[in-house]
């Protein structure tokens, strides 16, 4: 039986690299993976999943009003689909998460979603919240804070390096984000004095 997977992490943990490696493994075995990424990441009119280590691959784009179950069915009409990979899964709507669950449940195709769990304010993204609620398999991909502890949070910085505590939930400019452990995130956004109480 196919499953819905959610692999989540803070920024710069290698989520896209793992996705692209997984898709390569399917192709290497003569299988056909289907890749999706958010329409926020369109480049020159095409979707592109890009890893910081320099590998990239074209992908189908999804926007908030797209029916991903129907999109996968249309691809099935053109040929076998062995696995669906979804990058930037935090941008899925809750309904799209259910559509992907139906791909696993009704079409018997594994769906592997990769994305952020929380935004720069420490709040769950709607797509991530729904995936955490209904995915069959949850996997945390680890990255580290500058202190060496596990990074689970991200801060957003302005162009001059100031940490921002307010703003829109979505900003696709990846270079303005830094992954931190919870302790240093709380200090960075001003919820706890950096040189304050030790307890």
């Amino acid at each position: 039986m196919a499953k819905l997977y959610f692999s989540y992490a803070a920024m710069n943990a290698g989520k896209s690299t793992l996705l692209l490696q997984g898709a390569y493994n399917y192709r290497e075995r003569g299988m056909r993976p289907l890749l999706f990424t958010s329409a926020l990441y369109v480049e020159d009119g095409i979707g592109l999943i890009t890893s910081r280590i320099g590998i990239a691959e074209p992908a189908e784009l999804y926007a908030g009003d797209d029916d991903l179950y129907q999109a996968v069915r249309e691809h099935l009409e053109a040929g076998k689909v062995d696995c669906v990979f979804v990058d930037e899964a935090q941008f899925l709507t809750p309904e799209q998460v259910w559509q992907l669950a139906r791909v696993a449940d009704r079409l018997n195709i594994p769906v592997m979603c990769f994305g952020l769990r929380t935004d720069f304010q420490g709040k769950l993204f709607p797509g991530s919240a729904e995936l955490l609620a209904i995915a069959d398999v949850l996997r945390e991909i680890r990255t580290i804070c500058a202190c060496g502890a596990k990074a689970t949070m991200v801060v957003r910085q302005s162009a001059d390096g100031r940490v921002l505590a307010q703003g829109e939930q979505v900003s696709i400019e990846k270079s303005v984000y830094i992954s931190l452990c919870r302790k240093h995130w709380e200090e960075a956004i001003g919820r706890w004095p950096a040189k304050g109480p030790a307890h």
Side-chain angles (χ1 to χ4, degrees):
M1 173 144 175
K3 293 180 179 178
L4 174 62
Y5 298 80
F6 181 37
S7 298
Y8 62 89
M11 294 290 292
N12 304 322
K15 296 178 297 297
S16 297
T17 303
L18 288 172
L19 183 158
L20 293 170
Q21 178 182 335
Y24 176 83
N25 288 343
Y26 270 85
R27 273 194 214 92
E28 193 175 39
R29 288 158 180 78
M31 298 175 168
R32 180 183 175 220
L34 179 58
L35 280 61
F36 287 94
T37 192
S38 169
L40 296 170
Y41 290 91
V42 64
E43 292 186 25
D44 298 323
I46 62 163
L48 203 60
I49 297 174
T50 306
S51 169
R52 289 176 302 113
I53 64 170
I55 56 175
E57 194 167 322
E60 301 289 317
L61 292 170
Y62 68 85
D65 55 353
D66 291 335
D67 183 332
L68 296 179
Y69 177 79
Q70 189 57 39
V72 173
R73 282 192 59 147
E74 289 170 8
H75 278 276
L76 268 175
E77 291 171 9
K80 191 169 189 289
V81 174
D82 293 292
C83 189
V84 174
F85 290 87
V86 181
D87 200 27
E88 307 296 349
Q90 70 271 12
F91 297 132
L92 294 166
T93 66
E95 178 54 34
Q96 286 174 325
V97 172
W98 278 95
Q99 291 162 6
L100 292 170
R102 290 179 200 121
V103 169
D105 297 343
R106 315 278 174 191
L107 303 178
N108 202 32
I109 300 170
V111 178
M112 300 189 183
C113 298
F114 294 77
L116 298 173
R117 184 180 61 163
T118 59
D119 66 16
F120 73 106
Q121 294 177 318
K123 307 281 190 258
L124 287 170
F125 284 96
S128 302
E130 204 71 18
L131 282 160
L132 288 167
I134 72 165
D136 299 297
V137 179
L138 299 172
R139 182 176 71 156
E140 181 179 30
I141 303 167
R142 294 180 174 223
T143 190
I144 58 169
C145 178
C147 72
K150 181 175 80 168
T152 58
M153 313 291 282
V154 294
V155 292
R156 182 187 293 169
Q157 292 183 321
S158 63
D160 62 2
R162 232 173 2 96
V163 172
L164 304 172
Q166 306 285 326
E168 293 294 316
Q169 185 177 46
V170 176
S171 172
I172 63 166
E173 178 49 57
K174 293 181 182 182
S175 62
V176 300
Y177 291 99
I178 297 175
S179 296
L180 299 173
C181 65
R182 184 178 58 230
K183 173 185 169 184
H184 288 119
W185 175 84
E186 194 174 31
E187 291 173 3
I189 67 163
R191 288 173 52 133
W192 189 262
K195 297 191 186 303
H199 306 299

